[in-house]
Amino acid sequence: MFNKKTIRDIDVKGKKVLVRVDFNVPLNDGAVGDDTRIRGALPTINYLLEQGAAVILCSHLGRPKGKADPKYSLKPVAEYLQKLVPNKVYFASDCINEPAEKGVEALKPGEILVLENTRYYDAEEKNDMAFAEKLANLADLYVNDAFGTAHRAHASTEGVTHYKSGVAGFLLEKEIQYLSGAVEDPKRPFVAILGGAKISDKIGVIKNLLNKADKVLIGGGMANTFFKAQGVEMADSLVQDEALETAKEILAAASDKLVLPVDVVIADKFENDAATKEIPVEDVPAGWRILDIGPKTIEAYSKLVAGAGTVVWNGPMGVFELPNFAKGTFGVAKAVADSNAISIIGGGDSVAAIQESGLADKVTHISTGGGASLEMLEGIVLPGVAALEDK
Ligand code: AMP
């Protein structure tokens, strides 16, 4: 299923290996917040070190807009990494040029060098070949383990492979195996749950999953656009009028697979302390808005999830940032965790919900990439993966 070479297929002993990792972690006053992505890269880093490689790590962090900005420095991340591994971790204050070249020259097998943020150069996102060549020339071999950025053809994810052939790291391999496995060869019934604010962001995903899945359950603001397309009064609910035609087409093509909420929680204002009612979808009064799915819907969705062989979930069922409208999202999180299905969760909000629930260890796979996981569900081949060597 995963037809790219991985670090298992190459001899790295005594080699300097450039690894594109996803160290785009939240920083709070210069301290690493959630370290999931750093820990996610450890299997690859540790394997390479054990095999006798010198490991050069590069990544972007945030959006420094093409110039050096200490707010987005990877130095705190390098320091954090040092606490997680016994091997020596060095830091280079530039990802190319003298600081990087000198650091690489001095680097010995079993040691790590973290390069400064690749997005300090706008050449990174432009996939500039001269910049990519400089990065590639730092090392003997290239490894991509940055799933979260694999949907972007940037210099450090795609451009480098024009100068040094690349293979996949363990995290990239694992993400692709789970996500493409779920979509291309699912244990059935395959139930997908999609939520979030807008359908326009997820039209490609909805269409692809309607082809591949047995049921696609819709929640969140996204459902409202489908309801309006069916002629149901949405009052002050969030609706994407420009997507109504698309919603109609999707409904006409796939109404047997597409499942919409039967009841909703409405509010008289967009605030946590708003007055609320649980009502059938058809009864939203003027001046009110839908902010969550209702209890009957949670129950119906939970039943479908309980009977599934594979479940994929992306996007919240309501405005879950407001505690009074988070029941739908947490209800679905619990249903996914309770099911015996192969369960895969992607997207920042759903991942946050499952982690807050304390149920993350009951899920088969939690993706480290929001945008990248959505593109996988859409059936798109990620450029950072396509660029790697075939098996
Ligand atoms: P997305 O970025 O498209 O995945 O959407 C996530 C956002 O959708 C979250 O911030 C939710 O608060 C918001 N959202 C979910 N349901 C609703 C709703 N019924 N009305 C307005 N916003 C919603």
Side-chain angles (χ1 to χ4, degrees):
M1 190 167 323
F2 187 70
N3 58 357
K4 295 293 177 179
K5 281 192 185 163
T6 74
I7 46 179
R8 277 184 222 95
D9 300 315
I10 56 170
D11 180 12
V12 300
K13 192 171 165 44
K15 300 273 170 45
K16 294 190 173 165
V17 184
L18 176 68
V19 188
R20 179 35 159 120
V21 286
D22 180 6
F23 279 175
N24 183 28
V25 295
L27 289 180
N28 309 318
D29 292 326
V32 171
D34 183 355
D35 66 356
T36 310
R37 286 177 163 169
I38 303 176
R39 290 183 185 276
L42 287 179
T44 291
I45 295 171
N46 286 331
Y47 175 86
L48 291 171
L49 293 169
E50 281 160 18
Q51 298 294 314
V55 174
I56 308 157
L57 302 176
C58 70
S59 176
H60 78 283
L61 195 162
R63 296 177 190 278
K65 305 212 171 111
K67 54 179 193 300
D69 180 342
K71 236 182 24 217
Y72 300 108
S73 175
L74 277 160
K75 192 157 187 241
V77 180
E79 286 162 3
Y80 192 92
L81 178 63
Q82 182 65 89
K83 293 186 212 149
L84 301 181
V85 295
N87 312 62
K88 185 77 196 146
V89 179
Y90 297 96
F91 177 73
S93 60
D94 194 348
C95 65
I96 51 169
N97 301 325
E98 215 183 289
E101 286 156 13
K102 284 227 161 113
V104 169
E105 208 179 284
L107 197 68
K108 293 196 274 296
E111 295 179 341
I112 300 172
L113 175 70
V114 178
L115 303 179
E116 185 55 287
N117 197 335
T118 51
R119 286 200 195 163
Y120 278 9
Y121 293 88
D122 59 9
E124 161 72 337
E125 289 186 77
K126 285 189 181 144
N127 198 7
D128 176 272
M129 287 299 143
F131 176 74
E133 187 175 13
K134 283 189 182 175
L135 269 179
N137 284 346
L138 291 173
D140 302 311
L141 300 164
Y142 171 71
V143 173
N144 190 351
D145 207 24
F147 176 72
T149 336
H151 59 315
R152 304 279 179 234
H154 291 167
S156 67
T157 61
E158 200 275 341
V160 275
T161 64
H162 293 243
Y163 303 97
K164 211 133 274 175
S165 61
V167 302
F170 294 140
L171 177 64
L172 190 75
E173 179 191 40
K174 184 168 98 179
E175 290 272 10
I176 308 276
Q177 273 174 339
Y178 276 117
L179 286 156
S180 74
V183 178
E184 301 307 330
D185 187 23
K187 190 167 169 231
R188 295 193 182 270
F190 172 18
V191 174
I193 314 160
L194 294 175
K198 296 178 175 174
I199 77 164
S200 59
D201 298 341
K202 291 177 188 154
I203 288 168
V205 179
I206 298 172
K207 286 187 174 165
N208 191 43
L209 288 177
L210 283 169
N211 276 328
K212 311 273 183 182
D214 299 292
K215 293 282 178 210
V216 178
L217 319 182
I218 302 284
M222 214 159 89
N224 305 345
T225 304
F226 284 110
F227 287 130
K228 184 157 181 191
Q230 289 176 326
V232 181
E233 176 55 47
M234 286 288 99
D236 284 0
S237 304
L238 174 77
V239 170
Q240 253 189 306
D241 284 314
E242 70 280 12
L244 283 173
E245 281 313 307
T246 310
K248 280 184 195 161
E249 282 165 27
I250 292 174
L251 284 166
S255 55
D256 57 327
K257 281 192 178 178
L258 197 77
V259 184
L260 293 171
V262 288
D263 64 340
V264 288
V265 180
I266 57 167
D268 66 346
K269 54 183 179 179
F270 201 116
E271 278 168 40
N272 193 45
D273 66 355
T276 64
K277 287 185 201 170
E278 290 168 358
I279 56 152
V281 168
E282 294 75 24
D283 298 344
V284 185
W288 290 64
R289 64 205 42 66
I290 299 172
L291 294 187
D292 199 4
I293 56 174
K296 291 199 181 82
T297 305
I298 298 177
E299 201 187 317
Y301 284 11
S302 298
K303 267 197 191 136
L304 287 165
V305 167
T310 305
V311 183
V312 169
W313 175 33
N314 183 299
M317 297 290 102
V319 183
F320 81 117
E321 298 93 333
L322 305 178
N324 289 338
F325 305 99
K327 283 199 194 84
T329 301
F330 285 100
V332 162
K334 184 170 181 315
V336 173
D338 284 347
S339 93
N340 292 320
I342 296 164
S343 51
I344 296 165
I345 299 185
D349 293 334
S350 326
V351 172
I354 198 83
Q355 279 165 345
E356 269 177 53
S357 310
L359 299 169
D361 61 346
K362 297 229 158 83
V363 177
T364 315
H365 180 67
I366 295 180
S367 179
T368 55
S373 69
L374 269 182
E375 291 201 11
M376 290 286 306
L377 297 179
E378 199 172 339
I380 293 174
V381 177
L382 311 183
V385 178
L388 301 176
E389 268 190 80
D390 289 328
K391 258 224 165 93

